[in-house]
């Protein structure tokens, strides 16, 4: 098993999701299965092959230097779980 | 009599209903009301929200027609969007508790295009949570809404994450629908529900305002009743948009006009990849491909077997890349700017953890965890980089065969819709369902699924056509020709 309890603790910390012991065990098994599927990649002869991150070559895009209207601050704040007149409010980040 | 007339109007194609509107033989108000009634009476859960302003918008459209100033040929036609496409002021949830109350402050580029054409938005359509797709032995469901049923037979699956658009078009509650296709969900759902699903090539349609799932794979999809309908819609939504960094600047043809010309099958070279016709593909589906191949040959096309040798690795590469990108994209849900936030917490970290734990379903969590592992130092070298190299090989396979063939013909799915009660016990078996669709997604190619008869259980069989990059014009023309050969138009 590559996905140990310790690995699951580390992963849940990375994605910031709490897992019960039962969830962790269940998900570890299925992630192990997914890795098994991914192991198929080892069989492909990829020596000297370049990596493709996008199917279409992305190019640096410069937009026309014209003014465009953006959603108002009020609209952008309207979905915030907590806010004041002009800002999003978060719990304190630094102790 | 009246019910039959209403049924008749609902079952028309987009092109047909557009002509009736242009000839003033019906009104937008009439057809919007008929479709809204059908949505109310349907038990297929295709819709998750109906637009309260739809009838008002239809009346305004009718006034434009009376005044002789319609916005487009299909001004007033009702359609729907999957619930991961933002519409300003209209709740957009991605079928997740995380976005249960999210009301976008702006509209997606495609929603803007439809509005400018006068299309009436009837509502938002069901999907799997964040279009996550199946990761393992069960098809993912969502945390907010009841599962979509297949209008052909409710005992069978309507497909994966794009079930809502396919079900809505199949049950005649929308003349067309827009959704998204990551690894093939729009094509597979269309195949399972007996309608047409088009994935335009990467860059052809702006994804601005589409909630991101896997950024290098996401594409807006069109679900329609036939290839001509898809061509008409593609002409409306294709084109350059600086707000999507992947958008291409190529000229957008008039797809529908070009489609209506004679399809010259005689001059076509069509390849049938042998890797898509293996033992895992059902016999009746293989037979359908062979029948259409024979009909195309009879019509003058050259149809030959070809090879895409790295197909065997494409499903694995897709799973790795999609999970990595998905995991990265989901980090934006932090309980601060928008979306759900847990009720009680001790500090920022506790808030973030509780928020995601409470709001995401298990399939989303699984894919985030898997993706995080892939992006870890160990996973990045062991799986992510090899997956990206395999993506190069898959793309090169296509480039090679498109040096010899104009279009590829293949099944859309190795199977027809399976019973909803089916549980996959093996991840390889679940992922093998994507065998025929993921390669075109990895290579960014346009592909379309068209219905081509039914199997012995009466379930629709979908056949897929794949074209070179940005070849939607030819792809749609061949799809139209294939529909004629299948006796569909």
């Amino acid at each position: 098993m590559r996905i140990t309890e310790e690995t699951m603790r580390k992963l849940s910390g990375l994605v910031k999701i709490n897992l019960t012991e039962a969830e962790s065990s269940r998900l570890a098994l299925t992630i192990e299965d997914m890795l098994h599927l991914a192991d198929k990649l080892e069989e492909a002869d990829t020596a000297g092959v370049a990596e493709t991150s996008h199917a279409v070559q992305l190019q640096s895009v410069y937009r026309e230097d014209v003014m465009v209207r953006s959603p108002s601050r009020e609209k952008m704040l309207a979905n915030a779980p907590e806010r004041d007149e002009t800002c999003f409010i978060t719990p304190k980040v630094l102790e | 009599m009246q019910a039959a007339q209403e049924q008749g109007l609902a079952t028309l194609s987009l092109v047909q209903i557009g002509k009736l509107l242009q000839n003033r033989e019906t009104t937008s108000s009439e057809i919007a009301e008929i479709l809204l009634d059908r949505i109310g009476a349907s038990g297929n859960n295709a819709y998750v929200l109906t637009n309260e302003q739809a009838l008002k918008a239809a009346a305004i459209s009718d006034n434009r027609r009376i005044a002789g100033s319609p916005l487009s040929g299909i001004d007033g036609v009702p359609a729907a969007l999957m619930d991961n496409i933002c519409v300003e002021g209209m709740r957009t949830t991605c079928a997740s508790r995380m976005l249960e109350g999210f009301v976008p402050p702006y509209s997606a580029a495609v929603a803007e295009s439809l509005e400018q054409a006068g299309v009436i938005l009837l509502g938002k359509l069901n999907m799997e949570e964040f279009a996550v797709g199946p990761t393992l032995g069960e098809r993912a469901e969502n945390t907010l809404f009841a599962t979509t049923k297949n209008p052909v037979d409710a005992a069978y699956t309507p497909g994966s994450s794009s079930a809502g658009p396919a079900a809505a078009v199949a049950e005649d509650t929308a003349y067309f629908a827009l959704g998204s296709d990551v690894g093939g969900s729009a094509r597979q759902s269309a195949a399972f529900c007996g309608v047409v699903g088009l994935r335009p090539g990467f860059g052809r349609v702006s994804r601005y305002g589409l909630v991101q799932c896997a950024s290098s794979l996401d594409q807006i999809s069109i679900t329609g009743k036939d290839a001509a309908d898809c061509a008409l819609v593609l002409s409306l939504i294709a084109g350059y948009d600086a707000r999507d960094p992947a958008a291409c600047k190529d000229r957008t043809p008039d797809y529908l006009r070009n489609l209506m010309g004679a399809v010259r099958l005689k001059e076509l070279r069509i390849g049938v990849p042998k890797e898509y016709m293996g033992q895992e593909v059902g016999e009746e589906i293989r037979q359908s491909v062979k029948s259409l191949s024979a009909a195309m040959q009879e019509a003058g096309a050259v149809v030959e077997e070809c090879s895409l040798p790295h197909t065997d690795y494409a499903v694995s590469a897709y799973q790795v890349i999609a999970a990595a990108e998905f995991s990265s994209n989901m980090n934006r849900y932090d309980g601060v700017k928008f979306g759900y936030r847990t009720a009680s917490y001790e500090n920022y970290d506790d808030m973030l953890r509780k928020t995601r734990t409470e709001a995401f379903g298990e399939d989303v969590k699984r894919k985030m965890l898997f993706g995080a592992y892939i992006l870890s130092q160990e996973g990045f070298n062991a799986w992510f980089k090899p997956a990206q190299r395999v993506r190069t090989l898959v793309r090169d396979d296509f480039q090679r065969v498109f040096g010899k063939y104009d279009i590829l013909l293949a099944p859309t799915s190795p199977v027809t819709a399976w019973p909803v009660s089916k549980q996959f016990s093996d991840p390889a078996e679940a992922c093998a369902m994507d065998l025929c669709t993921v390669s075109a997604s990895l290579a960014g190619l346009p592909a379309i699924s068209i219905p081509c008869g039914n199997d012995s259980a009466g379930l629709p069989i979908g056949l897929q056509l794949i074209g070179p990059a940005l070849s939607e014009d030819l792809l749609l023309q061949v799809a139209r020709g294939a529909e004629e050969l299948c006796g569909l138009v």
Side-chain angles (χ1 to χ4, degrees), chain B residues 270-282:
Chain B
I270 294 171
V272 180
K274 65 180 181 186
E275 291 80 7
Y276 291 10
M277 294 285 278
Q279 289 306 311
E280 57 275 74
V281 179

PDB file of all heavy atoms in Angstrom, chain B residues 270-282:
ATOM      1  N   ILE B 270     -11.943   8.483 -44.586  1.00  0.00           N
ATOM      2  CA  ILE B 270     -12.385   8.289 -43.200  1.00  0.00           C
ATOM      3  C   ILE B 270     -11.616   7.132 -42.569  1.00  0.00           C
ATOM      4  O   ILE B 270     -11.541   6.036 -43.124  1.00  0.00           O
ATOM      5  CB  ILE B 270     -13.901   8.023 -43.153  1.00  0.00           C
ATOM      6  CG1 ILE B 270     -14.631   9.293 -43.606  1.00  0.00           C
ATOM      7  CG2 ILE B 270     -14.346   7.623 -41.740  1.00  0.00           C
ATOM      8  CD1 ILE B 270     -16.104   9.124 -43.809  1.00  0.00           C
ATOM      9  N   GLY B 271     -11.043   7.397 -41.415  1.00  0.00           N
ATOM     10  CA  GLY B 271     -10.296   6.365 -40.701  1.00  0.00           C
ATOM     11  C   GLY B 271     -11.120   5.825 -39.536  1.00  0.00           C
ATOM     12  O   GLY B 271     -11.829   6.578 -38.862  1.00  0.00           O
ATOM     13  N   VAL B 272     -11.030   4.543 -39.308  1.00  0.00           N
ATOM     14  CA  VAL B 272     -11.697   3.909 -38.155  1.00  0.00           C
ATOM     15  C   VAL B 272     -10.598   3.337 -37.254  1.00  0.00           C
ATOM     16  O   VAL B 272      -9.989   2.318 -37.597  1.00  0.00           O
ATOM     17  CB  VAL B 272     -12.661   2.788 -38.606  1.00  0.00           C
ATOM     18  CG1 VAL B 272     -13.344   2.160 -37.396  1.00  0.00           C
ATOM     19  CG2 VAL B 272     -13.686   3.325 -39.594  1.00  0.00           C
ATOM     20  N   PRO B 273     -10.297   4.002 -36.132  1.00  0.00           N
ATOM     21  CA  PRO B 273      -9.194   3.536 -35.281  1.00  0.00           C
ATOM     22  C   PRO B 273      -9.500   2.156 -34.699  1.00  0.00           C
ATOM     23  O   PRO B 273     -10.532   1.965 -34.068  1.00  0.00           O
ATOM     24  CB  PRO B 273      -9.125   4.597 -34.173  1.00  0.00           C
ATOM     25  CG  PRO B 273      -9.900   5.773 -34.684  1.00  0.00           C
ATOM     26  CD  PRO B 273     -10.939   5.221 -35.598  1.00  0.00           C
ATOM     27  N   LYS B 274      -8.584   1.229 -34.928  1.00  0.00           N
ATOM     28  CA  LYS B 274      -8.830  -0.145 -34.476  1.00  0.00           C
ATOM     29  C   LYS B 274      -8.843  -0.242 -32.958  1.00  0.00           C
ATOM     30  O   LYS B 274      -9.504  -1.115 -32.397  1.00  0.00           O
ATOM     31  CB  LYS B 274      -7.794  -1.093 -35.081  1.00  0.00           C
ATOM     32  CG  LYS B 274      -6.364  -0.847 -34.638  1.00  0.00           C
ATOM     33  CD  LYS B 274      -5.427  -1.851 -35.298  1.00  0.00           C
ATOM     34  CE  LYS B 274      -4.000  -1.620 -34.832  1.00  0.00           C
ATOM     35  NZ  LYS B 274      -3.036  -2.467 -35.533  1.00  0.00           N
ATOM     36  N   GLU B 275      -8.151   0.692 -32.280  1.00  0.00           N
ATOM     37  CA  GLU B 275      -8.116   0.651 -30.810  1.00  0.00           C
ATOM     38  C   GLU B 275      -9.484   0.982 -30.200  1.00  0.00           C
ATOM     39  O   GLU B 275      -9.714   0.724 -29.018  1.00  0.00           O
ATOM     40  CB  GLU B 275      -7.075   1.646 -30.272  1.00  0.00           C
ATOM     41  CG  GLU B 275      -5.636   1.256 -30.565  1.00  0.00           C
ATOM     42  CD  GLU B 275      -5.205   1.598 -31.987  1.00  0.00           C
ATOM     43  OE1 GLU B 275      -5.982   2.257 -32.723  1.00  0.00           O
ATOM     44  OE2 GLU B 275      -4.087   1.205 -32.383  1.00  0.00           O
ATOM     45  N   TYR B 276     -10.369   1.600 -30.984  1.00  0.00           N
ATOM     46  CA  TYR B 276     -11.710   1.938 -30.481  1.00  0.00           C
ATOM     47  C   TYR B 276     -12.725   0.846 -30.834  1.00  0.00           C
ATOM     48  O   TYR B 276     -13.917   1.009 -30.613  1.00  0.00           O
ATOM     49  CB  TYR B 276     -12.203   3.255 -31.089  1.00  0.00           C
ATOM     50  CG  TYR B 276     -11.477   4.500 -30.631  1.00  0.00           C
ATOM     51  CD1 TYR B 276     -10.304   4.437 -29.892  1.00  0.00           C
ATOM     52  CD2 TYR B 276     -11.979   5.765 -30.934  1.00  0.00           C
ATOM     53  CE1 TYR B 276      -9.641   5.583 -29.491  1.00  0.00           C
ATOM     54  CE2 TYR B 276     -11.329   6.922 -30.528  1.00  0.00           C
ATOM     55  CZ  TYR B 276     -10.161   6.822 -29.817  1.00  0.00           C
ATOM     56  OH  TYR B 276      -9.507   7.964 -29.411  1.00  0.00           O
ATOM     57  N   MET B 277     -12.222  -0.230 -31.427  1.00  0.00           N
ATOM     58  CA  MET B 277     -13.137  -1.290 -31.877  1.00  0.00           C
ATOM     59  C   MET B 277     -12.752  -2.634 -31.272  1.00  0.00           C
ATOM     60  O   MET B 277     -13.023  -3.685 -31.849  1.00  0.00           O
ATOM     61  CB  MET B 277     -13.100  -1.368 -33.417  1.00  0.00           C
ATOM     62  CG  MET B 277     -13.657  -0.140 -34.114  1.00  0.00           C
ATOM     63  SD  MET B 277     -15.440  -0.058 -34.060  1.00  0.00           S
ATOM     64  CE  MET B 277     -15.838  -1.158 -35.427  1.00  0.00           C
ATOM     65  N   GLY B 278     -12.109  -2.607 -30.093  1.00  0.00           N
ATOM     66  CA  GLY B 278     -11.638  -3.842 -29.472  1.00  0.00           C
ATOM     67  C   GLY B 278     -12.754  -4.613 -28.791  1.00  0.00           C
ATOM     68  O   GLY B 278     -13.940  -4.276 -28.881  1.00  0.00           O
ATOM     69  N   GLN B 279     -12.340  -5.644 -28.086  1.00  0.00           N
ATOM     70  CA  GLN B 279     -13.305  -6.552 -27.454  1.00  0.00           C
ATOM     71  C   GLN B 279     -14.136  -5.863 -26.377  1.00  0.00           C
ATOM     72  O   GLN B 279     -15.235  -6.310 -26.049  1.00  0.00           O
ATOM     73  CB  GLN B 279     -12.563  -7.748 -26.842  1.00  0.00           C
ATOM     74  CG  GLN B 279     -12.009  -8.706 -27.870  1.00  0.00           C
ATOM     75  CD  GLN B 279     -13.067  -9.195 -28.854  1.00  0.00           C
ATOM     76  OE1 GLN B 279     -14.142  -9.618 -28.467  1.00  0.00           O
ATOM     77  NE2 GLN B 279     -12.766  -9.107 -30.139  1.00  0.00           N
ATOM     78  N   GLU B 280     -13.605  -4.773 -25.792  1.00  0.00           N
ATOM     79  CA  GLU B 280     -14.367  -4.089 -24.741  1.00  0.00           C
ATOM     80  C   GLU B 280     -15.564  -3.332 -25.298  1.00  0.00           C
ATOM     81  O   GLU B 280     -16.434  -2.885 -24.551  1.00  0.00           O
ATOM     82  CB  GLU B 280     -13.476  -3.148 -23.924  1.00  0.00           C
ATOM     83  CG  GLU B 280     -12.737  -2.063 -24.718  1.00  0.00           C
ATOM     84  CD  GLU B 280     -11.424  -2.567 -25.303  1.00  0.00           C
ATOM     85  OE1 GLU B 280     -11.502  -3.324 -26.289  1.00  0.00           O
ATOM     86  OE2 GLU B 280     -10.359  -2.181 -24.814  1.00  0.00           O
ATOM     87  N   VAL B 281     -15.591  -3.177 -26.623  1.00  0.00           N
ATOM     88  CA  VAL B 281     -16.716  -2.484 -27.268  1.00  0.00           C
ATOM     89  C   VAL B 281     -17.806  -3.509 -27.611  1.00  0.00           C
ATOM     90  O   VAL B 281     -17.522  -4.570 -28.181  1.00  0.00           O
ATOM     91  CB  VAL B 281     -16.244  -1.758 -28.553  1.00  0.00           C
ATOM     92  CG1 VAL B 281     -17.416  -1.061 -29.239  1.00  0.00           C
ATOM     93  CG2 VAL B 281     -15.153  -0.752 -28.213  1.00  0.00           C
ATOM     94  N   GLY B 282     -19.016  -3.189 -27.238  1.00  0.00           N
ATOM     95  CA  GLY B 282     -20.135  -4.101 -27.451  1.00  0.00           C
ATOM     96  C   GLY B 282     -20.301  -4.477 -28.920  1.00  0.00           C
ATOM     97  O   GLY B 282     -20.069  -3.646 -29.817  1.00  0.00           O
TER      98      GLY B 282
END
